[in-house]
Amino acid sequence: MRQFPACLLLSYCLSLPALAAETEPQWQGNANLAFSRSTGNTNGTTYSVSVDEARSTEQDKLSAYASALYGKSQDVVSADKTRIGSRYDHNLNPQLFGFGQLEFEQDRMANLDLRSGAGGGFGYHLLKEDNVTFDIFLGLSHNRSDLMSGETVGNSEAILAEESSHALTENTRLKQKFSYYPGIRTGGTYRSVFDSSLVIGLNSTMGLSISLQNKYNSNVGNGVKHSDTVLLTGINIKL
């Protein structure tokens, strides 16, 4: 039952293109699906769903993303994480833009019941061409982490991030983003998130995807590892 709210959030994000179909500009993006099942000596199930959508105009850009990963091995839950967020960019000139973002995250294996965060700042388009884009971000954020065991933690952080998109060939695209969040009030603590995906198109709507994510948190509870890495392969669907 704990996966039910996550499924609702993912269903909402999947419905965004249909809600915007009658207006201009339209939402565009991708969905990635992965599933594995084993029986016999090893009894396990793993599935993941991720959605990445964006709507752009000459003046601004609104993006939304959501992901869920769940796994069970030998009837024991081995993965249970959900993330959903949105970012709004408004161009101040052809290179400089302001942004605001919201994100919610849940990772029960890492003792995180819910992390909610909001932030904003400025970004700069270092490259903005048809086959490659590269942006950098600088800002501030505040988040609240409700732990499954332990005290609730609130922290103000700086935002230092970069993201890029590369058309390697006509049918192959690479995207990556690295975000670094050093704590402001708690010196020496920091978080980082690295996301990357490689999509190889098979036709106009489907392709193969390989995604890699690494998260690091210097301030976690006892018995929880600081670093968490996930590698997934699956099907990409163009929305």
Side-chain angles (χ1 to χ4, degrees), residues 16-17 19-28 54-62:
L16 287 175
L19 295 174
E22 301 300 325
T23 62
E24 292 292 343
Q26 294 186 1
W27 289 84
Q28 294 181 335
R55 187 188 67 179
S56 301
T57 70
E58 292 294 328
Q59 294 78 31
D60 57 14
K61 176 182 177 181
L62 179 61

Side-chain angles (χ1 to χ4, degrees), residues 6 25 29 36 55 73 101 107 115 144 148 185 195 206-207 224 236:
S36 67
R55 187 188 67 179
S73 179
Q101 64 183 33
D107 190 344
R115 175 185 290 120
R144 169 192 169 106
M148 298 182 67
R185 294 186 299 176
D195 282 297
M206 297 189 66
V224 180
N236 177 271

Side-chain angles (χ1 to χ4, degrees), residues 62-218:
L62 179 61
S63 57
Y65 57 90
S67 64
L69 172 66
Y70 181 80
K72 181 178 285 189
S73 179
Q74 304 297 98
D75 296 324
V76 177
V77 175
S78 57
D80 186 0
K81 61 175 65 180
T82 306
R83 185 166 60 141
I84 182 168
S86 180
R87 194 182 80 218
Y88 175 74
D89 302 342
H90 185 81
N91 294 327
L92 303 176
N93 61 44
Q95 282 76 43
L96 183 66
F97 60 94
F99 73 92
Q101 64 183 33
L102 289 171
E103 184 173 85
F104 303 91
E105 182 181 6
Q106 181 185 73
D107 190 344
R108 301 188 189 281
M109 298 296 101
N111 193 37
L112 180 63
D113 191 48
L114 178 65
R115 175 185 290 120
S116 54
F122 296 95
Y124 191 83
H125 299 298
L126 289 177
L127 289 172
K128 193 175 182 181
E129 302 176 3
D130 291 340
N131 62 339
V132 59
T133 63
F134 189 85
D135 297 336
I136 57 175
F137 304 84
L138 176 64
L140 297 172
S141 71
H142 182 79
N143 70 74
R144 169 192 169 106
S145 298
D146 296 313
L147 305 180
M148 298 182 67
S149 61
E151 298 181 357
T152 297
V153 179
N155 191 20
S156 295
E157 302 170 323
I159 302 173
L160 303 171
E162 57 83 17
E163 70 176 2
S164 64
S165 176
H166 310 263
L168 303 179
T169 68
E170 183 178 353
N171 298 321
T172 306
R173 179 167 290 273
L174 172 67
K175 294 178 65 177
Q176 65 83 34
K177 181 178 181 180
F178 177 74
S179 302
Y180 177 66
Y181 303 96
I184 296 176
R185 294 186 299 176
T186 54
T189 64
Y190 67 93
R191 297 186 300 116
S192 66
V193 181
F194 174 73
D195 282 297
S196 65
S197 64
L198 178 68
V199 176
I200 304 171
L202 300 177
N203 53 44
S204 60
T205 58
M206 297 189 66
L208 300 177
S209 69
I210 303 173
S211 62
L212 174 67
Q213 181 191 85
N214 175 266
K215 297 191 304 179
Y216 185 92
N217 191 340
S218 66

